């Protein structure tokens, strides 16, 4: 997968639990869990903006691009 | 009213309407073909006694066959439209309401209704000519017969077609957005 979600790292750094973040940004814990594991097709700017606001970080702190290995 | 209750009501209403439509289809096919058959072959004097047919006219069998075949096409087009409506109602009965297949069914129903209406108009234009073509003196010309009911049905068919189109687009948008958080 080319995009790696580093949300769990940021949550650990801010010492915040998933449940609390989910409540603050207004999405379900299940959806936040899917986002953390990268099992989503996309993230709305609205959600990304809310996460950055609550975790006091930049989108680049949450997402990382790694090129796929050629087969 | 909760969405579940609404859905259950739609399903119940669709089932009842589907039963009524199936009965209508059977009756429509029977009565339409019986009428056409009687006029063309069963009671040949019906054609000869038509108020636009002159006494000296001799109706050829080929004309009777042509009339019956053209009329059959119109009946079958309407029957196909009714089958499409039954298919749509059956999907709603199963609870497949906001669904790509249902949207396609609505579009197909609208499209078939438009074709059936066109067939009806064409036959309407031909009918008097076919009936009077053996008149020695006055043969009616092929001409369009104005019927406001056909316009209403055609407008409804176009609306159905467009509604199905919009619904398909909406479902596509919903599918695209699915999986986004």
């Amino acid at each position: 997968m080319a995009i790696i979600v580093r949300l769990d790292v940021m949550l650990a750094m801010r010492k915040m639990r998933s449940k609390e973040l989910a409540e603050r940004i207004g999405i379900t814990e299940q959806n936040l869990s899917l986002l953390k594991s990268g099992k989503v097709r996309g993230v709305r700017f609205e959600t990304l903006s809310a996460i950055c606001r609550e975790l006091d970080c930049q989108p680049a702190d949450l997402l990382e691009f790694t090129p796929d290995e050629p087969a | 009213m909760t969405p579940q209750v609404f859905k259950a009501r739609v399903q119940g209403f669709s089932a009842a309407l589907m039963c009524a439509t199936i009965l209508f289809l059977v009756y429509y096919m029977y009565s339409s073909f019986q009428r056409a058959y009687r006029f063309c072959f069963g009671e040949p004097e019906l054609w000869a006694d038509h108020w636009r047919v002159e006494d000296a006219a001799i109706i050829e069998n080929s004309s009777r066959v042509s009339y019956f075949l053209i009329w059959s096409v119109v009946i079958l087009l309407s029957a196909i439209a009714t089958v499409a409506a039954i298919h749509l109602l059956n999907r709603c009965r199963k609870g497949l309401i906001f669904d790509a297949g249902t949207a396609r069914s609505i579009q197909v129903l609208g499209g078939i209704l438009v074709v059936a209406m066109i067939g009806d108009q064409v036959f309407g234009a031909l009918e008097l000519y076919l009936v009077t073509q053996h008149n020695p003196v006055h043969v009616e010309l092929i001409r369009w017969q104005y019927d406001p009911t056909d316009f209403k049905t055609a407008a409804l068919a176009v609306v159905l077609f467009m509604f199905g189109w919009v619904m398909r687009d909406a479902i596509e948008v919903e599918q695209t957005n699915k999986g986004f958080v």
Side-chain angles (χ1 to χ4, degrees):
Chain A
M1 182 161 158
I3 299 290
I4 295 171
V5 182
R6 299 216 170 274
L7 183 58
D8 49 353
V9 177
M10 281 310 295
L11 280 167
M13 284 171 68
R14 298 289 185 261
K15 296 184 172 55
M16 192 186 289
R17 292 172 64 198
S18 296
K19 188 180 176 183
E20 189 188 345
L21 179 64
E23 279 170 7
R24 283 188 180 192
I25 63 174
I27 65 170
T28 63
E29 222 181 322
Q30 289 91 334
N31 273 346
L32 190 67
S33 173
L34 287 171
L35 178 59
K36 272 165 63 182
S37 56
K39 290 176 184 167
V40 291
R41 288 177 64 192
V43 189
R44 292 191 184 91
F45 282 144
E46 190 187 349
T47 310
L48 189 60
S49 160
I51 294 172
C52 291
R53 185 188 66 231
E54 295 303 326
L55 296 179
D56 189 24
C57 63
Q58 292 297 313
D61 299 327
L62 300 169
L63 305 170
E64 184 185 326
F65 173 73
T66 51
D68 285 330
E69 291 290 322
Chain B
M1 192 192 300
T2 62
Q4 286 80 12
V5 172
F6 178 73
K7 192 177 176 184
R9 284 188 185 175
V10 169
Q11 284 180 272
F13 182 71
S14 301
L17 202 57
M18 194 180 84
C19 292
T21 313
I22 290 170
L23 290 175
F24 166 76
L25 178 64
V26 172
Y27 169 75
Y28 172 76
M29 293 286 282
Y30 171 75
S31 67
S32 304
F33 274 114
Q34 191 209 31
R35 196 166 50 241
Y37 178 80
R38 275 179 60 213
F39 187 77
C40 295
F41 311 111
E43 295 175 37
E45 66 277 8
L46 282 178
W47 191 323
D49 291 344
H50 192 280
W51 68 285
R52 292 276 179 99
V53 176
E54 294 164 6
D55 292 339
I58 298 163
I59 319 298
E60 289 176 9
N61 279 338
S62 59
S63 303
R64 293 180 184 278
V65 172
S66 306
Y67 185 94
F68 185 77
L69 286 178
I70 295 171
W71 191 225
S72 299
V73 171
V74 177
I75 295 171
L76 286 175
L77 282 173
S78 297
I80 291 168
T82 313
V83 169
I86 291 169
H87 177 69
L88 175 62
L89 288 169
N90 192 35
R91 290 191 71 84
C92 293
R93 185 186 63 80
K94 288 177 182 169
L96 303 166
I97 298 164
F98 193 66
D99 174 82
T102 303
R104 195 167 44 246
S105 288
I106 293 173
Q107 262 195 302
V108 167
L109 174 61
I112 294 173
L113 269 176
V114 168
V115 174
M117 279 301 102
I118 291 169
D120 205 34
Q121 294 295 314
V122 170
F123 181 74
L126 283 172
E127 188 177 19
L128 273 182
Y129 166 74
L130 286 170
V131 169
T132 61
Q133 64 180 312
H134 300 295
N135 281 356
V137 180
H138 181 72
V139 176
E140 292 285 342
L141 297 173
I142 295 173
R143 64 171 177 225
W144 178 60
Q145 310 285 327
Y146 172 72
D147 184 353
T149 312
D150 287 338
F151 275 106
K152 287 176 196 162
T153 314
L156 176 69
V158 171
V159 167
L160 273 177
F161 187 82
M162 297 304 289
F163 180 74
W165 198 341
V166 170
M167 200 170 154
R168 278 176 80 169
D169 276 0
I171 289 166
E172 207 171 293
V173 169
E174 195 230 0
Q175 292 292 331
T176 310
N177 284 332
K178 203 175 261 183
F180 275 66
V181 293

